[in-house]
Amino acid sequence: MLRIDNVHVSYGPIKAVRGVSLEVREGEILALLGPNGAGKTSLISSIVGLAPRTSGKVSFDGSVISSEQTERIVSRGITLTPEGRRVFADLTVGENLRLGAASRRDAAGVKEDIEKYLDLFPILRTRYASRARMLSGGEQQMLAIARSLMARPKLLMLDEPSLGLAPRIVDRIFELLASLRSQGLTMLLVEQNANEALGLADKACVLASGSLVFNGTAAELKSSGDVMEMYLGLEGG
Ligand code: ATP
Protein backbone atom coordinates (compact mmCIF):
# COMPACT_ATOMS: atom_id res chain seq x y z
CA MET A 1 0.00 0.00 0.00
CA LEU A 2 2.76 2.46 1.02
CA ARG A 3 6.26 2.17 -0.33
CA ILE A 4 9.16 4.42 0.55
CA ASP A 5 12.36 4.14 -1.49
CA ASN A 6 15.64 5.67 -0.41
CA VAL A 7 14.10 8.74 1.23
CA HIS A 8 16.32 11.50 2.58
CA VAL A 9 15.07 14.41 4.71
CA SER A 10 17.31 17.36 5.53
CA TYR A 11 16.81 20.62 7.39
CA GLY A 12 19.61 22.68 5.86
CA PRO A 13 22.79 21.00 7.03
CA ILE A 14 20.96 18.62 9.40
CA LYS A 15 20.39 15.22 7.82
CA ALA A 16 17.39 13.82 9.71
CA VAL A 17 16.63 10.81 7.46
CA ARG A 18 19.35 9.12 5.40
CA GLY A 19 18.19 6.80 2.65
CA VAL A 20 15.31 4.93 4.27
CA SER A 21 13.27 2.32 2.38
CA LEU A 22 10.28 0.51 3.82
CA GLU A 23 6.88 -0.86 2.93
CA VAL A 24 3.50 -1.03 4.67
CA ARG A 25 1.09 -3.59 3.23
CA GLU A 26 -2.66 -3.43 3.37
CA GLY A 27 -4.12 -4.50 6.73
CA GLU A 28 -0.72 -4.44 8.38
CA ILE A 29 0.55 -2.41 11.34
CA LEU A 30 4.12 -1.22 11.05
CA ALA A 31 5.77 0.14 14.20
CA LEU A 32 8.48 2.70 13.51
CA LEU A 33 10.70 2.77 16.59
CA GLY A 34 13.93 4.41 17.65
CA PRO A 35 15.46 6.80 20.14
CA ASN A 36 14.75 10.52 20.42
CA GLY A 37 15.91 12.47 17.41
CA ALA A 38 16.25 9.33 15.25
CA GLY A 39 14.20 10.90 12.45
CA LYS A 40 10.86 9.13 12.95
CA THR A 41 8.70 12.26 12.89
CA SER A 42 10.68 13.65 9.95
CA LEU A 43 10.13 10.45 7.97
CA ILE A 44 6.38 10.20 8.45
CA SER A 45 5.92 13.96 7.99
CA SER A 46 7.79 13.73 4.69
CA ILE A 47 5.32 11.09 3.46
CA VAL A 48 2.55 13.69 3.54
CA GLY A 49 4.81 16.49 2.29
CA LEU A 50 5.21 18.18 5.68
CA ALA A 51 8.99 17.73 6.03
CA PRO A 52 11.63 18.66 3.46
CA ARG A 53 12.33 15.44 1.55
CA THR A 54 15.46 16.02 -0.51
CA SER A 55 15.35 12.79 -2.48
CA GLY A 56 13.69 9.41 -2.71
CA LYS A 57 10.36 8.07 -3.90
CA VAL A 58 7.07 7.57 -2.05
CA SER A 59 4.30 5.47 -3.64
CA PHE A 60 0.82 4.82 -2.36
CA ASP A 61 -1.63 2.34 -3.86
CA GLY A 62 0.66 2.03 -6.88
CA SER A 63 0.89 5.80 -7.62
CA VAL A 64 4.01 7.87 -7.06
CA ILE A 65 3.01 10.65 -4.63
CA SER A 66 6.44 12.10 -3.85
CA SER A 67 5.86 15.38 -5.63
CA GLU A 68 2.21 15.88 -4.67
CA GLN A 69 0.83 18.56 -2.34
CA THR A 70 -0.22 17.54 1.17
CA GLU A 71 -3.91 18.10 0.40
CA ARG A 72 -3.80 15.73 -2.56
CA ILE A 73 -1.92 13.09 -0.55
CA VAL A 74 -4.48 13.30 2.25
CA SER A 75 -7.31 13.00 -0.26
CA ARG A 76 -5.73 9.74 -1.46
CA GLY A 77 -6.38 8.34 2.01
CA ILE A 78 -3.33 8.98 4.19
CA THR A 79 -3.79 10.82 7.47
CA LEU A 80 -1.21 11.80 10.05
CA THR A 81 -2.17 12.27 13.69
CA PRO A 82 0.73 14.39 14.88
CA GLU A 83 2.58 14.17 18.15
CA GLY A 84 1.17 16.28 20.94
CA ARG A 85 -2.58 15.60 20.50
CA ARG A 86 -3.26 18.59 18.34
CA VAL A 87 -6.97 19.14 18.65
CA PHE A 88 -8.79 22.42 18.08
CA ALA A 89 -8.84 23.50 21.72
CA ASP A 90 -11.65 26.06 21.45
CA LEU A 91 -13.95 23.82 19.44
CA THR A 92 -16.16 21.16 20.97
CA VAL A 93 -15.58 17.43 20.61
CA GLY A 94 -18.40 17.27 18.05
CA GLU A 95 -16.97 20.18 16.04
CA ASN A 96 -13.52 18.58 16.05
CA LEU A 97 -14.99 15.34 14.72
CA ARG A 98 -16.95 17.12 11.98
CA LEU A 99 -13.81 19.01 10.95
CA GLY A 100 -12.05 15.69 10.47
CA ALA A 101 -14.65 14.96 7.81
CA ALA A 102 -14.41 18.39 6.18
CA SER A 103 -13.36 16.96 2.82
CA ARG A 104 -16.26 14.47 2.69
CA ARG A 105 -19.48 15.15 0.85
CA ASP A 106 -21.53 12.22 2.20
CA ALA A 107 -23.41 13.90 5.07
CA ALA A 108 -25.23 10.69 6.03
CA GLY A 109 -21.98 8.73 6.10
CA VAL A 110 -20.36 11.42 8.26
CA LYS A 111 -23.22 11.21 10.75
CA GLU A 112 -22.91 7.43 10.81
CA ASP A 113 -19.17 7.62 11.39
CA ILE A 114 -19.58 10.09 14.25
CA GLU A 115 -21.89 7.57 15.93
CA LYS A 116 -19.45 4.76 15.17
CA TYR A 117 -16.52 6.55 16.78
CA LEU A 118 -18.58 7.75 19.75
CA ASP A 119 -19.36 4.05 20.30
CA LEU A 120 -15.70 3.13 20.00
CA PHE A 121 -14.58 6.02 22.25
CA PRO A 122 -17.52 6.29 24.72
CA ILE A 123 -15.77 8.97 26.77
CA LEU A 124 -16.07 11.29 23.76
CA ARG A 125 -19.84 10.82 23.79
CA THR A 126 -20.08 12.05 27.36
CA ARG A 127 -17.83 14.98 26.46
CA TYR A 128 -19.45 15.67 23.08
CA ALA A 129 -20.41 19.30 23.79
CA SER A 130 -17.28 20.16 25.81
CA ARG A 131 -14.51 22.27 24.37
CA ALA A 132 -11.50 20.12 23.55
CA ARG A 133 -9.28 22.06 25.90
CA MET A 134 -11.38 20.86 28.84
CA LEU A 135 -10.50 17.22 28.09
CA SER A 136 -7.72 15.28 29.81
CA GLY A 137 -4.58 14.36 27.85
CA GLY A 138 -5.86 10.85 27.19
CA GLU A 139 -9.26 12.13 26.05
CA GLN A 140 -7.58 14.61 23.72
CA GLN A 141 -5.49 11.82 22.24
CA MET A 142 -8.64 9.76 21.64
CA LEU A 143 -10.26 12.79 20.02
CA ALA A 144 -7.19 13.34 17.82
CA ILE A 145 -7.35 9.72 16.64
CA ALA A 146 -11.13 9.78 16.14
CA ARG A 147 -10.84 13.02 14.18
CA SER A 148 -8.26 11.45 11.85
CA LEU A 149 -10.54 8.44 11.38
CA MET A 150 -13.40 10.73 10.33
CA ALA A 151 -11.50 11.31 7.07
CA ARG A 152 -11.89 7.55 6.39
CA PRO A 153 -8.17 7.01 5.84
CA LYS A 154 -6.82 3.92 4.13
CA LEU A 155 -3.58 4.44 6.02
CA LEU A 156 -3.55 5.97 9.50
CA MET A 157 -0.19 7.30 10.63
CA LEU A 158 0.08 8.04 14.35
CA ASP A 159 3.00 9.91 15.87
CA GLU A 160 3.60 8.81 19.46
CA PRO A 161 0.00 8.37 20.62
CA SER A 162 1.18 7.26 24.07
CA LEU A 163 3.44 10.24 24.75
CA GLY A 164 2.98 11.74 28.20
CA LEU A 165 0.01 9.57 29.15
CA ALA A 166 -0.43 7.50 32.31
CA PRO A 167 0.13 3.73 31.83
CA ARG A 168 -3.56 2.93 32.29
CA ILE A 169 -4.50 5.41 29.55
CA VAL A 170 -1.74 4.10 27.28
CA ASP A 171 -3.22 0.59 27.66
CA ARG A 172 -6.63 1.97 26.72
CA ILE A 173 -5.23 3.71 23.62
CA PHE A 174 -3.54 0.49 22.51
CA GLU A 175 -6.78 -1.46 23.07
CA LEU A 176 -8.51 1.01 20.78
CA LEU A 177 -5.79 0.65 18.16
CA ALA A 178 -6.17 -3.14 18.40
CA SER A 179 -9.88 -2.86 17.72
CA LEU A 180 -9.14 -0.64 14.70
CA ARG A 181 -6.73 -3.29 13.48
CA SER A 182 -9.42 -5.93 13.76
CA GLN A 183 -11.53 -3.76 11.45
CA GLY A 184 -8.72 -4.05 8.89
CA LEU A 185 -7.24 -0.55 9.17
CA THR A 186 -3.63 -0.21 7.97
CA MET A 187 -1.40 1.74 10.35
CA LEU A 188 2.06 3.20 10.59
CA LEU A 189 2.74 3.80 14.24
CA VAL A 190 5.65 5.88 15.53
CA GLU A 191 6.34 5.04 19.16
CA GLN A 192 8.88 5.45 21.93
CA ASN A 193 6.94 2.83 23.86
CA ALA A 194 8.43 -0.15 22.03
CA ASN A 195 6.87 -2.76 24.30
CA GLU A 196 3.30 -1.62 23.67
CA ALA A 197 3.94 -1.00 19.98
CA LEU A 198 5.45 -4.46 19.45
CA GLY A 199 2.47 -6.02 21.19
CA LEU A 200 0.26 -4.56 18.48
CA ALA A 201 2.40 -4.41 15.34
CA ASP A 202 2.96 -7.04 12.67
CA LYS A 203 6.15 -5.47 11.36
CA ALA A 204 8.74 -3.19 12.88
CA CYS A 205 11.44 -0.82 11.70
CA VAL A 206 14.04 0.79 13.93
CA LEU A 207 15.59 4.11 12.98
CA ALA A 208 18.79 5.40 14.56
CA SER A 209 20.51 8.62 13.52
CA GLY A 210 18.35 8.76 10.41
CA SER A 211 19.16 5.26 9.14
CA LEU A 212 17.20 2.04 9.31
CA VAL A 213 18.99 -0.41 11.59
CA PHE A 214 16.22 -3.04 11.64
CA ASN A 215 13.40 -3.94 9.25
CA GLY A 216 11.50 -7.15 9.90
CA THR A 217 8.60 -8.65 11.79
CA ALA A 218 7.68 -7.54 15.32
CA ALA A 219 8.44 -11.09 16.51
CA GLU A 220 11.91 -10.99 14.95
CA LEU A 221 12.63 -7.68 16.62
CA LYS A 222 11.47 -8.95 20.00
CA SER A 223 13.91 -11.84 19.74
CA SER A 224 16.75 -9.66 18.49
CA GLY A 225 18.53 -8.90 21.75
CA ASP A 226 21.16 -6.62 20.23
CA VAL A 227 18.77 -4.22 18.48
CA MET A 228 16.40 -4.17 21.44
CA GLU A 229 19.20 -3.34 23.84
CA MET A 230 21.28 -1.03 21.73
CA TYR A 231 18.58 1.14 20.20
CA LEU A 232 15.50 0.67 22.33
CA GLY A 233 17.00 0.24 25.77
CA LEU A 234 15.03 -2.98 26.30
CA GLU A 235 15.92 -6.56 26.91
CA GLY A 236 15.22 -8.74 23.90
CA GLY A 237 15.47 -12.44 23.23
P1 ATP B 1 11.40 12.41 18.79
O1 ATP B 1 11.09 11.06 19.29
O2 ATP B 1 12.21 13.22 19.74
O3 ATP B 1 10.24 13.14 18.20
P2 ATP B 1 12.24 11.67 16.12
O4 ATP B 1 12.83 10.31 15.96
O5 ATP B 1 10.83 11.85 15.72
O6 ATP B 1 12.47 12.16 17.60
P3 ATP B 1 12.81 13.93 14.48
O7 ATP B 1 11.89 14.80 15.27
O8 ATP B 1 12.42 13.54 13.12
O9 ATP B 1 13.18 12.63 15.31
O10 ATP B 1 14.24 14.66 14.42
C1 ATP B 1 15.35 14.16 13.67
C2 ATP B 1 16.45 15.20 13.65
O11 ATP B 1 16.02 16.31 12.86
C3 ATP B 1 16.81 15.77 15.01
O12 ATP B 1 18.21 16.01 15.01
C4 ATP B 1 16.05 17.06 15.08
O13 ATP B 1 16.69 17.98 15.92
C5 ATP B 1 16.06 17.51 13.64
N1 ATP B 1 14.86 18.30 13.28
C6 ATP B 1 13.58 17.90 13.36
N2 ATP B 1 12.74 18.87 12.92
C7 ATP B 1 13.52 19.92 12.56
C8 ATP B 1 13.28 21.22 12.03
N3 ATP B 1 12.03 21.64 11.76
N4 ATP B 1 14.33 22.02 11.78
C9 ATP B 1 15.60 21.60 12.04
N5 ATP B 1 15.91 20.38 12.52
C10 ATP B 1 14.90 19.55 12.80
Side-chain angles (χ1 to χ4, degrees), residues 11 14 16 34-43 83 159-160 190 192:
Y11 305 95
I14 300 168
N36 266 326
K40 306 179 296 294
T41 299
S42 300
L43 180 62
E83 191 180 313
D159 197 355
E160 306 227 16
V190 167
Q192 291 269 340

Side-chain angles (χ1 to χ4, degrees), residues 76-134:
R76 285 182 178 275
I78 304 181
T79 65
L80 168 61
T81 310
E83 191 180 313
R85 314 187 263 282
R86 288 197 218 131
V87 290
F88 295 101
D90 289 326
L91 300 183
T92 66
V93 166
E95 287 163 345
N96 267 278
L97 291 177
R98 279 193 293 278
L99 262 183
S103 60
R104 289 173 57 182
R105 296 286 163 265
D106 56 327
V110 169
K111 237 175 143 181
E112 243 172 58
D113 279 2
I114 288 181
E115 280 306 309
K116 175 173 158 189
Y117 294 121
L118 292 179
D119 283 344
L120 187 65
F121 302 84
I123 190 70
L124 297 181
R125 190 184 289 284
T126 61
R127 310 289 251 132
Y128 192 75
S130 305
R131 293 196 191 286
R133 82 167 113 83
M134 304 304 286

